Amino acid sequence: EQRPSQQQQQQHHHRRQHSTSSSIIPPQSPQSSSDSPLPNPDLIHQMGPIQTRTSLRSLLMKKWHPSWWMHYDTHSLLIFRSKDHLDDWVQNPYHGKRERAYLVKLRVDFGDIVGGASASGGAGGGGDGQPGGDSNNAKEGGGILGHRILPVKKKSYNKNEPEMYQFKLERWTNMGVSVLAAFASEEEADVQLLYDTITEIMSTCSFGGLHDI
């Protein structure tokens, strides 16, 4: 049996390395850090653990995902997939805009509504007022009328799931209303902190965060 040459072994080893690292955010050179400066720590107000449903699939399947949230700057709520991602977003100086934006699962700028004055200037993650990338609101084409937070309820969807404190966040647009995200925890204090934070953010927005419908 013919053994592979040293060159073939090196090519095979290179392909293996590429396939196992393709899903990992590549390290950036120090020069690229200017593309995405570190977030301003003075603009980090609150953070905490929470269970989330932020995708259409998770909302339909009623599946919770462990997450962490952060109130950043004046009107921005950031959702991260884990505390590690949150810490990496805050502390890693080597990320470019794409890498830092990837770490943010969902970003909502409650001030970015029709006729409103968004106050997210001076944010980190790009220096252009967009922490971690473009606002999730941009997907709506500028037709955001605002958001509405629904009351906290305690419920369970099946026998195998413990009762959890939870609430939903709605987005109102020119096309109608939809559930943007749902949040939950077995710990009432964790849910209440996020609920109170969102309520406070919206109170500082134009129109109280939602146009009169």
Side-chain angles (χ1 to χ4, degrees):
E1 182 180 355
Q2 185 176 4
R3 299 182 61 183
S5 65
Q6 183 178 2
Q7 181 180 5
Q8 289 174 325
Q9 289 177 338
Q10 291 176 340
Q11 290 175 344
H12 177 67
H13 178 67
H14 176 73
R15 287 196 298 269
R16 284 181 56 195
Q17 284 186 318
H18 179 75
S19 64
T20 56
S21 61
S22 60
S23 61
I24 300 175
I25 301 174
Q28 300 295 302
S29 64
Q31 288 81 3
S32 69
S33 62
S34 61
D35 295 336
S36 181
L38 287 173
N40 186 342
D42 294 334
L43 298 180
I44 299 174
H45 304 295
Q46 292 278 9
M47 65 178 67
I50 200 73
Q51 300 279 331
T52 64
R53 296 172 183 162
T54 58
S55 67
L56 179 60
R57 178 180 176 84
S58 64
L59 288 166
L60 292 176
M61 301 297 292
K62 304 185 185 303
K63 181 176 178 57
W64 294 110
H65 297 278
S67 306
W68 272 72
W69 63 271
M70 175 192 292
H71 174 198
Y72 186 80
D73 204 348
T74 306
H75 296 150
S76 291
L77 178 72
L78 310 182
I79 306 297
F80 298 88
R81 298 170 184 84
S82 66
K83 182 62 162 56
D84 287 342
H85 278 198
L86 183 153
D87 291 340
D88 198 26
W89 185 84
V90 171
Q91 301 171 3
N92 193 328
Y94 297 101
H95 287 321
K97 288 184 179 181
R98 180 179 65 85
E99 289 77 20
R100 203 175 302 280
Y102 168 80
L103 296 170
V104 180
K105 181 180 181 181
L106 173 69
R107 185 176 83 85
V108 183
D109 185 345
F110 290 93
D112 187 12
I113 60 179
V114 173
S118 178
S120 60
D128 55 0
Q130 304 296 334
D134 292 335
S135 167
N136 191 67
N137 300 23
K139 299 178 181 179
E140 304 292 346
I144 304 289
L145 298 177
H147 300 83
R148 184 173 72 166
I149 188 171
L150 302 184
V152 175
K153 297 181 179 180
K154 188 178 183 181
K155 62 187 299 186
S156 175
Y157 289 97
N158 57 66
K159 295 184 299 182
N160 299 323
E161 181 182 79
E163 284 193 324
M164 303 178 75
Y165 296 92
Q166 52 190 282
F167 68 92
K168 295 178 180 178
L169 179 65
E170 293 180 342
R171 166 166 288 167
W172 290 69
T173 72
N174 291 324
M175 302 298 292
V177 60
S178 61
V179 176
L180 176 62
F183 306 98
S185 175
E186 294 183 50
E187 302 296 330
E188 183 178 10
D190 289 344
V191 170
Q192 196 63 51
L193 178 60
L194 177 56
Y195 188 92
D196 292 344
T197 299
I198 293 177
T199 301
E200 182 180 354
I201 293 173
M202 292 179 63
S203 71
T204 66
C205 297
S206 303
F207 317 106
L210 177 63
H211 280 272
D212 293 333
I213 306 301

